[in-house]
Amino acid sequence: MARQKTIPDETVLDTILETLRETGPAGLTFARAAKAAGLSPATLVQRYGDREALLEATLLRAWDRLDAETEAADATAAPTPAGAIGFLLRLMPTENAERDATDGLLLLREDIRNPTLRRRGAAWGNRVAEALGRRLSSDAGEGRRLGWEMASVWQGALVWWAFTRSQPAGEAIREALENWVERALPGGLSIPG
């Protein structure tokens, strides 16, 4: 008979994710993960198998959390271009901008290398582009194109902010998105037609 888990996988993986953000993927060991999670290394091996499976499970849990945050942001954002900007800013808490622009790139590298994680990232990108597109155009095809374009501007603005730091992250990214909307949409920040 299998022993009952005293700490649920979600809690374990959330804790390991914080450790992973501190150490980077190369610094993740069973000993370090076990210490953070309050479990023995043997317990983690029993749950996840090997280090690569633990890393993948941790990053899949991060995608689960981001999917939930994305759904919540989509449900509450106004159906306007201004709502699209708010949606993206909610997905990028400014208090995490420094961490996401630096240490987050190490995690993103793992997401791109691993086919399972890469598919999750692509699916999330499609959801983001669709959510943005509904706020940018009443034409589905045009909305999808604009959604991908706006998502690209958002990510580019974050990367360039990381280099320049000329103003707070939230202000810089909001400004970049507002400038893009004013140039890309005939009505600017007004309700799409």
Side-chain angles (χ1 to χ4, degrees):
M1 182 162 144
R3 291 176 50 191
Q4 185 175 358
K5 294 179 181 179
T6 57
I7 304 174
D9 282 333
E10 293 80 8
T11 303
V12 170
L13 295 172
D14 288 345
T15 303
I16 293 172
L17 179 60
E18 291 310 312
T19 300
L20 188 59
R21 285 181 172 140
E22 294 170 12
T23 66
L28 183 66
T29 64
F30 273 107
R32 189 171 274 147
K35 183 177 179 185
L39 296 169
S40 72
T43 298
L44 290 179
V45 170
Q46 286 176 331
R47 283 194 190 190
Y48 303 105
D50 61 20
R51 185 190 166 285
E52 291 306 310
L54 175 63
L55 178 61
E56 182 178 284
T58 302
L59 293 174
L60 284 171
R61 172 64 181 151
W63 281 113
D64 290 344
R65 289 172 52 181
L66 184 56
D67 285 341
E69 291 169 21
T70 302
E71 294 305 314
D74 189 22
T76 59
T80 64
I85 292 171
F87 168 78
L88 291 175
L89 291 176
R90 181 168 170 188
L91 293 179
M92 185 214 75
T94 56
E95 65 272 9
N96 296 337
E98 170 71 29
R99 181 195 72 195
D100 292 345
T102 54
D103 300 333
L105 292 178
L106 293 173
L107 302 183
L108 184 61
R109 184 181 87 173
E110 295 302 316
D111 288 330
I112 292 169
R113 287 178 168 178
N114 177 308
T116 301
L117 298 169
R118 189 170 53 242
R119 281 190 295 277
R120 280 298 291 273
W124 177 77
N126 282 315
R127 280 193 296 281
V128 168
E130 189 271 329
L132 293 170
R134 284 187 278 107
R135 291 167 171 85
L136 300 173
S137 176
S138 58
D139 176 87
E142 179 69 358
R144 181 168 174 71
R145 182 188 71 76
L146 289 168
W148 274 109
E149 195 173 303
M150 185 177 201
S152 298
V153 169
W154 172 51
Q155 289 298 290
L158 178 59
V159 168
W160 288 115
W161 168 83
F163 282 108
T164 63
R165 313 283 175 103
S166 60
Q167 63 192 112
E171 291 175 27
I173 290 158
R174 178 181 293 281
E175 183 178 300
L177 292 171
E178 287 174 350
N179 288 339
W180 176 83
V181 166
E182 291 298 329
R183 285 189 307 279
L185 302 179
L189 289 171
S190 65
I191 298 173

